[in-house]
Amino acid sequence: MPIFLAIVGGIAGMLLGSKGYSLLWPYCLMQAGMNANRSEDVLAGQAVQFAAASALWLAAMFVIAYLLLKERDVKA
C-alpha cells in the first residue's frame, strides 16, 4: 500500500506541479523546491508561501498520525 500511494502521489504531483499548483500538494513541494522540471526559478517570490505550505503539510501529517496511532497503536 505505501508503494502504491507513493506512485499515485508522485504522478499526481508531477501533473499538478506542471500546471503551477505545486504548493497545494505535498508530493509537489520537493519538485518545486529543487526546481526539478523547469529552467526558470519556480519559487521566485514564493519562498514564504513555500515554507508555509511545507509547515502546513508537515503539521497535517503529524495530526493525522497522532489521531490514527491514538486509536490503533499497541498498548503495553
Side-chain angles (χ1 to χ4, degrees):
M1 188 66 168
I3 294 171
F4 173 75
L5 289 175
I7 290 172
V8 170
I11 291 171
M14 286 188 336
L15 295 173
L16 289 170
S18 67
K19 298 292 183 187
Y21 300 113
S22 60
L23 299 179
L24 302 177
W25 186 244
Y27 287 89
C28 296
L29 291 174
M30 182 70 82
Q31 177 185 6
M34 292 174 49
N35 202 25
N37 65 343
R38 302 218 175 138
S39 59
E40 72 270 0
D41 188 9
V42 177
L43 291 177
Q46 293 184 336
V48 173
Q49 291 92 336
F50 176 77
S54 296
L56 178 73
W57 281 110
L58 184 63
M61 294 304 126
F62 274 130
V63 168
I64 290 170
Y66 171 76
L67 293 174
L68 288 174
L69 291 174
K70 184 172 75 167
E71 297 297 322
R72 298 182 185 172
D73 197 16
V74 175
K75 307 268 192 244

